[in-house]
Amino acid sequence: MTDLATRVAPSRVTPLRRAAPALLGYAAVRALGLLVLVAWSAARGKSAYTLLTARWDALWYTRVAELGYGYEVRLPNGDVHSNLAFFPLLPWLERLLHALAPLSYADAGFVVSLLASLAAAWGIFAVADHGYGPRAGVCAVLLWAVLPVGIVQSMAYSESLFTALAAWSLYAVLTGRWVTAGTLAALAGLTRPVGLAVVAAVWTAGVVSFVRDRSTAATYGARSGECASDAASGAAVTPHAPRATTGALFWSRALGMLLAPLGAAVYVLWVGQRTGKGPLGYLDVQAGWRNGFDGGYAFARFVADKFTSFPSALAGAGLIIGVGLVIWLYLIGVRQRQPLPLLVYTGVVVALALCASSYFGSKPRLLLPAFPLLLPLATALARSRTSRSALVTGLLAVAAAIYGAFWLNGSGPP
């Protein structure tokens, strides 16, 4: 008998089983956040469920799901808040779930958010695991869960749904599944305006791949010529030419790139047609909400105004530190040579969040989808002892739960 006869075939771990520790840890953190929110809200005479499903943006989404588009609010200062500003995928899913199950539109939004948050956690694990291993993947998911604004992941908002679509689209790009990447990017483009970031990642990766293939083909052609010359002179030749890109791969990549922008493009063009203002009609809708892209000028003024008095100066200093931390983490990702699709995606998300003249209190929430910023921290945490990593994430989970409960029970929208 030989060793070959006694070998046991290696067990194949399914993707879900591989991600199970991350998903269980994520569910535990989110459960803690919800329990603290329920207790905090009850002490203040409020309903935690209402805060999660029937306040602020959640109301706008459920109204779209129930009544469709066309609702608007005219404010005394002349601003017009139209529900056309809200992209349609989340309301569509709320309407679908409402039709299939005995759930209200608000209940459907909550269920979609919970399921999407788990899908997002799994996608974040997949991306981190692909590049840095399963331990870093678990740490990345837990860090995303314990973000101070992590409670939004459990709200009937579109952040969890968008992050799930973005993470899996990026994973598909990293693993060469171009049609899947393009399809998910199109769905992300139907979820939030920042779907542009996913499209940019898919297109950048696609263009780089096409350029690399052409360079490889040119190199292969040159080596083939050298081999032919050597063969003619009688020299021994052992060519090791790289495999040329197959036609199937070429067309799947091209199709993925074609699909990626369709979601956002179709909705924006439809809004333009509905408003009668052409392709720029959606920008007018956003202007009614005082949303626009000014390169960060309005946000810089907002931060500078905080330094006009001492108590608010502390908040201004905190904002500067927070922005500095975001930029620092991004630069670390560049220095650590994160995959180009992740860098492009993160850069666009950060730019749109920080350089838009939108409601400033929502900027931390707008950064939630920028999960690759957490990868440097995740890899560092993964190198620590398990006990130390558990202690750090546990303390952060408690702090995030308390802050989330305090935040949602405040006066302004997240």
Side-chain angles (χ1 to χ4, degrees):
M1 295 289 290
T2 65
D3 290 341
L4 290 176
T6 59
R7 282 181 185 173
V8 179
S11 61
R12 300 182 63 181
V13 179
T14 64
L16 180 57
R17 186 174 180 180
R18 186 177 180 88
L23 297 180
L24 291 173
Y26 177 80
V29 172
R30 291 275 37 89
L32 174 63
L34 292 175
L35 288 174
V36 173
L37 176 64
V38 169
W40 192 296
S41 301
R44 294 177 59 87
K46 296 183 178 181
S47 167
Y49 191 69
T50 298
L51 293 175
L52 292 170
T53 64
R55 294 285 306 275
W56 306 298
D57 289 8
L59 282 176
W60 287 89
Y61 283 118
T62 56
R63 187 175 286 115
V64 172
E66 183 177 5
L67 303 174
Y69 286 104
Y71 177 81
E72 62 183 30
V73 175
R74 294 183 177 273
L75 303 183
N77 65 355
D79 289 345
V80 178
H81 289 183
S82 168
N83 64 0
L84 291 169
F86 295 87
F87 277 50
L89 185 58
L90 177 57
W92 286 348
L93 293 176
E94 290 176 347
R95 181 179 298 178
L96 176 63
L97 193 55
H98 171 75
L100 296 177
L103 296 173
S104 68
Y105 292 104
D107 295 339
F110 185 64
V111 172
V112 170
S113 178
L114 290 183
L115 295 178
S117 67
L118 288 171
W122 191 358
I124 292 170
F125 172 83
V127 170
D129 178 32
H130 178 76
Y132 306 98
R135 187 176 174 87
V138 172
C139 291
V141 170
L142 293 178
L143 288 174
W144 191 66
V146 302
L147 288 173
V149 295
I151 190 64
V152 175
Q153 298 162 16
S154 301
M155 298 180 69
Y157 275 33
S158 59
E159 272 75 13
S160 291
L161 178 61
F162 175 80
T163 305
L165 295 168
W168 283 108
S169 179
L170 291 171
Y171 178 74
V173 168
L174 296 175
T175 54
R177 297 173 173 88
W178 291 99
V179 176
T180 300
T183 302
L184 292 173
L187 292 174
L190 284 171
T191 307
R192 296 186 62 80
V194 75
L196 173 66
V198 191
V199 176
V202 173
W203 269 75
T204 301
V207 169
V208 170
S209 296
F210 278 127
V211 171
R212 183 182 297 120
D213 289 344
R214 290 192 62 179
S215 176
T216 300
T219 303
Y220 176 71
R223 289 179 178 176
S224 297
E226 293 174 0
C227 291
S229 176
D230 291 341
S233 62
V237 177
T238 308
H240 296 282
R243 182 181 298 176
T245 303
T246 65
L249 176 59
F250 175 91
W251 288 112
S252 67
R253 185 186 302 148
L255 180 58
M257 294 175 67
L258 178 64
L259 289 171
L262 288 183
V266 167
Y267 181 68
V268 168
L269 291 175
W270 178 81
V271 170
Q273 185 274 333
R274 176 159 182 139
T275 59
K277 297 183 178 180
L280 301 181
Y282 183 76
L283 297 181
D284 289 338
V285 170
Q286 286 286 6
W289 287 81
R290 298 293 180 96
N291 292 337
F293 189 86
D294 63 359
Y297 174 73
F299 184 46
R301 286 189 57 186
F302 174 78
V303 175
D305 289 342
K306 293 293 182 182
F307 290 93
T308 56
S309 62
F310 173 71
S312 63
L314 296 178
L319 289 171
I320 292 176
I321 293 172
V323 172
L325 177 62
V326 168
I327 296 174
W328 177 66
L329 288 174
Y330 184 75
L331 292 177
I332 289 179
V334 174
R335 189 164 63 246
Q336 292 181 348
R337 296 184 178 181
Q338 280 186 14
L340 183 60
L342 299 186
L343 292 175
V344 171
Y345 166 78
T346 307
V348 175
V349 172
V350 170
L352 291 177
L354 297 182
C355 298
S357 57
S358 55
Y359 174 63
F360 302 114
S362 295
K363 289 195 179 292
R365 153 173 87 83
L366 298 179
L367 288 168
L368 264 180
F371 67 89
L373 289 174
L374 301 173
L375 293 180
L377 298 177
T379 55
L381 193 61
R383 290 192 294 267
S384 302
R385 298 177 182 176
T386 301
S387 57
R388 181 177 299 176
S389 300
L391 177 61
V392 170
T393 54
L395 292 175
L396 290 175
V398 172
I402 294 173
Y403 179 78
F406 168 78
W407 193 35
L408 285 197
N409 279 275
S411 57

